[in-house]
Amino acid sequence: LERIIGVFKLDTKVFQDIEQDQTATPQAAIVVAIVAALSVVGVLIGGVVGAVSGAGSGLGNTLLQIVLTFVMAFVNWIIWSAVTYFVGTRLFGGQADLGEMLRVIGFAQAPQMLQIIPCIGGLVGWIWSLVASFFAIREGLDFDTGKAIGTVVIGWIVVLVVNIILGSVLGIGTLGLGALTGMFQR
C-alpha cells in the first residue's frame, strides 16, 4: 500500500525501491490485477445497463468481455514492459532487465484504479498512469528526462499498434462468438 501511495505521489525513491526489489514482481502483478478487476466492474456495469436498456449484447458476450478485459490487462502489462525494455536498452542505452521493467511498469498502473470514479476517473487515471510510467521508465532504465520521454513516446506508439492489431483479431473473434451465442439464446 505504501508503494501504491508513493506511485500516486510520483515519488522517484519509491520507483527506485521497486526497481531494485526482485521480490516485488508479484506485488506489481497484484496492482495489475486490481486495475483489471476494476475494469471488469466497468464491463459488468456496462452489461447491466445494456441489458436493462435492451441494447445489451447478451450474457455470453459480457462474460467474454470480462475474460478478455482481465487477460488483456496482463498482456498489455507484459507488452508495455517488454517494449519499454527493448526501446530503452537498445535505442537509448538504458540499464535494466525485463524483471525491473515489469515491476516498475506494473506499479505505474496504480493510478488507473481511479477508474472506479464515474465519468472522469478513467481519463484522470489513464493520464496519471502515463505520467507514472514516465517516472517508472526513467528510474527503471536509469535515464535522463529526454531519453525517458523518447522511450515513452516510441513505446506508447508500438503498444498502440500492437493493441490495434490484437483488438482487430480478437474483435473479429468476439463478433463471431457473439453471433454464435446469440443464435442459441433465441
Side-chain angles (χ1 to χ4, degrees):
L1 188 56
E2 288 179 26
R3 285 180 169 169
I4 290 172
I5 292 168
V7 168
F8 270 92
K9 292 179 178 179
L10 304 174
D11 183 347
T12 57
K13 176 77 171 110
V14 170
F15 285 107
Q16 291 168 358
D17 291 343
I18 293 167
E19 172 196 9
Q20 295 169 4
D21 183 0
Q22 294 182 357
T23 65
T25 306
Q27 294 171 12
I30 290 168
V31 170
V32 173
I34 291 168
V35 169
L38 292 172
S39 295
V40 165
V41 168
V43 169
L44 287 172
I45 291 170
V48 169
V49 169
V52 169
S53 69
S57 55
L59 181 60
N61 271 354
T62 300
L63 291 174
L64 182 61
Q65 288 174 335
I66 289 169
V67 170
L68 285 176
T69 297
F70 205 82
V71 169
M72 286 308 295
F74 284 92
V75 168
N76 280 325
W77 171 42
I78 293 167
I79 291 171
W80 180 234
S81 299
V83 167
T84 56
Y85 165 74
F86 180 80
V87 170
T89 59
R90 300 288 190 257
L91 294 181
F92 295 112
Q95 299 296 313
D97 60 39
L98 185 55
E100 291 170 344
M101 294 312 298
L102 283 165
R103 290 190 293 276
V104 295
I105 295 295
F107 271 94
Q109 292 186 28
Q112 291 182 43
M113 292 177 192
L114 294 175
Q115 67 187 310
I116 197 73
I117 301 169
C119 299
I120 193 80
L123 178 62
V124 171
W126 181 80
I127 292 169
W128 201 336
S129 183
L130 188 60
V131 173
S133 293
F134 160 78
F135 282 91
I137 290 166
R138 189 177 69 184
E139 297 307 317
L141 289 162
D142 304 316
F143 271 165
D144 62 29
T145 299
K147 289 180 180 180
I149 290 171
T151 301
V152 168
V153 170
I154 293 169
W156 192 83
I157 291 168
V158 171
V159 170
L160 177 65
V161 169
V162 169
N163 272 290
I164 289 170
I165 293 167
L166 284 175
S168 297
V169 171
L170 292 175
I172 292 168
T174 302
L175 287 174
L177 185 59
L180 285 175
T181 58
M183 288 176 20
F184 295 111
Q185 290 177 351
R186 294 173 194 210

